[in-house]
Amino acid sequence: FKIIIFLCLISCSKPQPPVRPHIIPIPNEFSMNEGVFVLDNKVSLHADEDLVAVAEFFNKYLKEKLGYSLKLRDKSSTKTINFIRDTQIENDEGYELIIDSSSITIKAKTKKGAFYAFQTLRQFFPPSMENSMLLNSEISLQNAVIKDAPRFVYRGMHLDVSRHFFSVAFIKKYIDLLSQLKMNTFHWHLTDDQGWRIEIKKYPKLQEVAAFREETLIGHYNDFPQQFDGKKYGGFYTQEEVKDIVQYAAERYITVIPEIEMPGHAQAAIAAYPELGCTRKNINVATKWGVFEDIYCPTEETFTFLENVLDEVMPLFPGKYIHIGGDEAPKTRWKACEHCQELIQKENLEDEHGLQSYFIARMEKYINSKGKEIIGWDEILEGGLAPNATVMSWRGVNGAVEAAKSGHNVILTPTSHCYFDYYQSDNANEPLAIGGYLPLEKVYSFNPIPKELTKAQEKYVLGAQGNVWTEYITSPEHVEYMAFPRAIAMAEVTWSNPFKRDYQDFAYRLSHFHKRLDAQNVNYANHLYEIEG
Ligand code: TNX
């Protein structure tokens, strides 16, 4: 009798084909088949020359999570994992993944595609593998065929490290999570009124003064007086740390876009070098949130400063884009500044908005001359758009529509669907947030292509991004809570075919993905009870 129970246990524990696959973002085409591929340390790994780097990355992952790596081109092995370069695959980021009982085949045209195939394969592994709980185990992988490619070329997440500062280790964790979602861009908001966070060797006061503020800010925009704890708060990334992060991201096929804000959100820099402001008076690094009147003055001194800063920033970031901000620059100081008024006359500009456009266009010219392109928030449309600029539309989608209609590339980040600093539920226990309300389902429903665009104009939409502004987000756990799972919805919005998207199905897949996040110690917000009731 005991033997019968034992046999039953063995056969009953045989993995059954899942009813639905639980891959996020959902692939374009897939079928799950009978049977499994059993991964153990006797499997041999093959990779075409162009894809060796990805195969090695995969092998390193196995070593870390399972305690063994695979032998390369082991002739004695009957089972293989193959990374094959296939130039027939149309999309540079596309891939095919075929799992059958004797082999796993990954086909891609580029390393990036192969990397995404690995990320899909990774979701076939048990979640507990993520925290190395399955050392030396055999892993059964469901047979399947998947053909996949992204909808948009830009799939991003942003993080503001100025309002609150986050460690190198956390930035890496964030980047690694994005890579698991097949996102390809990390927008790093490095400078703002409340802190300058990137080392610039030519300007030591950016480190000594601009990187720190007098008080830790707690409390709400509208809840004055705020509570101050009287300590110095801040920090910055050294150029070595920046290089390390950029390299880490590159290994995960993520481009890092640095944002150096101008002409507004510059109070920290002006606190360090008062001559950059129009009043030239001493001011402090901001200790409140909001929009500040002290912005860069459009003098030769300022332009030289910004060019020198960019000369140090640009070589650290191999990607083609530099984000120059451009948002929320009140014109109070420029209105009261003689030099600004003269410049408006001299350059035949209409007013201070024209001067903002002049400022941005001039910086664009410099950045273009170094082989890079600019991205700016939609305020850069004010007074005329710089010739080659890409617009990041945050105040709704109008900026994107206007820019795309005039032939400029756009990235969609409207507050309505992309602001992950907003509340995500109406539960009274939600931690204090900036305001606004953006539940998961609304993120999921986002269509990055504004309906005002014609078919021909749609091509200017590069993609979309979730933004994590950190005025009220002080710890890594809190960033995770605000970003996940909304970033997961954004990943599917930007990667998957819209006809494949279904919120209930997403919720089912998300419940599996939660286990992967648990294993990686990610403090996500759990919305499933809302979905399942
Ligand atoms: C607006 S979005 C800002 C940020 C704030 C954010 C808060 C944008 C370009 N500027 O400076 O942090 O709102 O949601």
Side-chain angles (χ1 to χ4, degrees):
F1 180 68
K2 273 187 191 155
I3 290 174
I4 291 171
I5 290 190
F6 180 62
L7 286 176
C8 174
L9 274 177
I10 289 181
S11 63
C12 296
S13 65
K14 224 176 96 186
Q16 300 294 316
V19 192
R20 292 178 283 172
H22 39 73
I23 297 156
I24 291 183
I26 193 152
N28 280 349
E29 281 178 50
F30 55 80
S31 63
M32 308 297 274
N33 301 327
E34 286 290 330
V36 292
F37 176 93
V38 180
L39 176 69
D40 57 32
N41 62 5
K42 291 180 202 70
V43 171
S44 162
L45 184 62
H46 297 242
D48 285 350
E49 203 181 314
D50 291 328
L51 304 180
V52 166
V54 185
E56 279 172 356
F57 190 91
F58 167 70
N59 219 7
K60 226 170 88 188
Y61 170 83
L62 292 184
K63 177 84 188 153
E64 192 185 311
K65 307 294 181 187
L66 286 174
Y68 58 80
S69 51
L70 306 180
K71 285 207 199 96
L72 297 176
R73 299 186 177 277
D74 179 3
K75 295 257 162 43
S76 67
S77 176
T78 52
K79 284 184 296 180
T80 56
I81 298 183
N82 306 301
F83 283 75
I84 296 174
R85 173 138 196 269
D86 183 345
T87 50
Q88 302 293 308
I89 290 182
E90 247 172 71
N91 192 309
D92 274 354
E93 295 183 292
Y95 68 88
E96 286 177 30
L97 169 66
I98 302 137
I99 305 174
D100 64 38
S101 299
S102 61
S103 67
I104 295 178
T105 305
I106 281 169
K107 292 185 191 168
K109 183 153 78 181
T110 67
K111 288 194 196 65
K112 222 172 173 185
F115 180 79
Y116 295 141
F118 157 49
Q119 294 309 327
T120 297
L121 179 61
R122 183 171 178 176
Q123 292 187 35
F124 279 75
F125 294 148
S128 52
M129 185 167 147
E130 288 295 341
N131 56 357
S132 307
M133 293 290 281
L134 297 175
L135 283 180
N136 301 312
S137 307
E138 291 182 352
I139 305 289
S140 294
L141 303 162
Q142 186 66 46
N143 286 353
V145 177
I146 295 182
K147 288 187 186 173
D148 203 8
R151 179 178 180 203
F152 292 105
V153 294
Y154 186 108
R155 305 178 301 280
M157 278 295 289
H158 148 287
L159 184 66
D160 166 11
V161 296
S162 170
R163 274 57 175 269
H164 284 102
F165 182 62
F166 300 95
S167 69
V168 171
F170 178 68
I171 301 293
K172 286 184 175 174
K173 183 179 180 189
Y174 193 74
I175 287 171
D176 189 63
L177 288 165
L178 302 187
S179 78
Q180 293 175 45
L181 297 165
K182 304 188 178 81
M183 286 202 163
N184 62 8
T185 309
F186 170 51
H187 170 176
W188 203 5
H189 184 80
L190 284 164
T191 71
D192 215 304
D193 301 304
Q194 295 83 1
W196 182 284
R197 306 274 175 243
I198 178 168
E199 179 190 27
I200 303 295
K201 298 196 165 130
K202 194 165 188 140
Y203 296 105
K205 283 198 215 155
L206 291 176
Q207 286 70 254
E208 289 152 21
V209 178
F212 296 91
R213 58 179 182 248
E214 282 309 314
E215 296 100 352
T216 297
L217 296 144
I218 318 163
H220 202 268
Y221 258 107
N222 306 315
D223 283 351
F224 292 107
Q226 300 184 342
Q227 306 161 39
F228 298 127
D229 66 8
K231 285 186 212 138
K232 238 180 155 190
Y233 178 89
F236 63 90
Y237 306 98
T238 65
Q239 292 192 3
E240 283 310 306
E241 287 172 329
V242 169
K243 279 186 208 156
D244 180 36
I245 284 172
V246 167
Q247 171 65 26
Y248 183 87
E251 283 163 16
R252 287 156 183 77
Y253 301 91
I254 290 198
T255 303
V256 184
I257 299 181
E259 181 178 355
I260 306 295
E261 279 262 27
M262 60 190 79
H265 286 294
Q267 192 165 317
I270 298 170
Y273 296 99
E275 59 274 25
L276 299 173
C278 290
T279 69
R280 306 180 82 89
K281 286 195 188 124
N282 286 327
I283 54 170
N284 292 330
V285 176
T287 56
K288 289 192 172 116
W289 314 128
V291 173
F292 297 89
E293 288 179 345
D294 286 297
I295 68 173
Y296 289 122
C297 207
T299 58
E300 288 311 308
E301 212 171 349
T302 297
F303 287 119
T304 305
F305 167 82
L306 288 171
E307 288 172 12
N308 287 339
V309 164
L310 289 167
D311 283 347
E312 291 194 34
V313 170
M314 287 188 283
L316 298 172
F317 296 90
K320 74 171 168 182
Y321 293 117
I322 300 290
H323 200 306
I324 47 76
D327 61 313
E328 298 180 322
K331 304 298 179 299
T332 332
R333 296 287 184 258
W334 289 5
K335 282 198 175 111
C337 134
E338 230 172 85
H339 161 77
C340 303
Q341 296 308 316
E342 280 169 23
L343 193 55
I344 289 174
Q345 296 279 317
K346 186 173 148 231
E347 296 293 331
N348 245 327
L349 307 169
E350 200 156 307
D351 56 9
E352 290 74 23
H353 294 300
L355 190 50
Q356 154 119 354
S357 169
Y358 166 86
F359 194 115
I360 300 293
R362 186 163 159 172
M363 291 313 301
E364 180 188 63
K365 206 166 163 199
Y366 186 73
I367 291 168
N368 286 171
S369 78
K370 306 284 167 178
K372 305 269 190 194
E373 289 176 31
I374 66 162
I375 301 180
W377 299 107
D378 54 63
E379 284 93 333
I380 66 168
L381 283 150
E382 267 177 31
L385 195 49
N388 309 310
T390 294
V391 171
M392 198 170 255
S393 196
W394 71 281
R395 299 172 303 173
V397 303
N398 293 347
V401 172
E402 188 185 330
K405 282 192 187 296
S406 60
H408 285 257
N409 285 339
V410 298
I411 296 155
L412 277 288
T413 66
T415 51
S416 58
H417 293 80
C418 302
Y419 271 49
F420 300 169
D421 56 340
Y422 286 12
Y423 284 98
Q424 52 193 322
S425 87
D426 49 15
N427 186 327
N429 300 329
E430 287 292 344
L432 183 69
I434 197 159
Y437 178 52
L438 178 54
L440 181 65
E441 187 165 8
K442 186 158 183 204
V443 179
Y444 194 76
S445 73
F446 184 45
N447 179 5
I449 298 195
K451 54 183 180 325
E452 293 86 345
L453 297 183
T454 63
K455 271 267 162 286
Q457 290 160 349
E458 284 181 5
K459 67 167 184 290
Y460 295 113
V461 178
L462 300 182
Q465 166 178 294
N467 290 342
V468 185
W469 300 100
T470 58
E471 285 96 332
Y472 301 111
I473 306 178
T474 55
S475 67
E477 295 75 24
H478 195 176
V479 171
E480 292 172 4
Y481 181 82
M482 300 306 272
F484 299 97
R486 289 185 285 195
I488 304 173
M490 187 56 75
E492 191 147 311
V493 162
T494 50
W495 178 281
S496 303
N497 181 332
F499 300 110
K500 291 266 172 186
R501 262 155 58 191
D502 173 89
Y503 190 59
Q504 286 306 319
D505 182 58
F506 174 69
Y508 161 79
R509 288 177 286 117
L510 184 59
S511 68
H512 286 266
F513 205 83
H514 276 178
K515 296 180 199 152
R516 317 197 75 79
L517 296 177
D518 285 332
Q520 295 175 83
N521 214 355
V522 177
N523 182 40
Y524 58 90
N526 190 340
H527 294 288
L528 293 176
Y529 68 93
E530 293 159 22
I531 297 160
E532 287 156 1

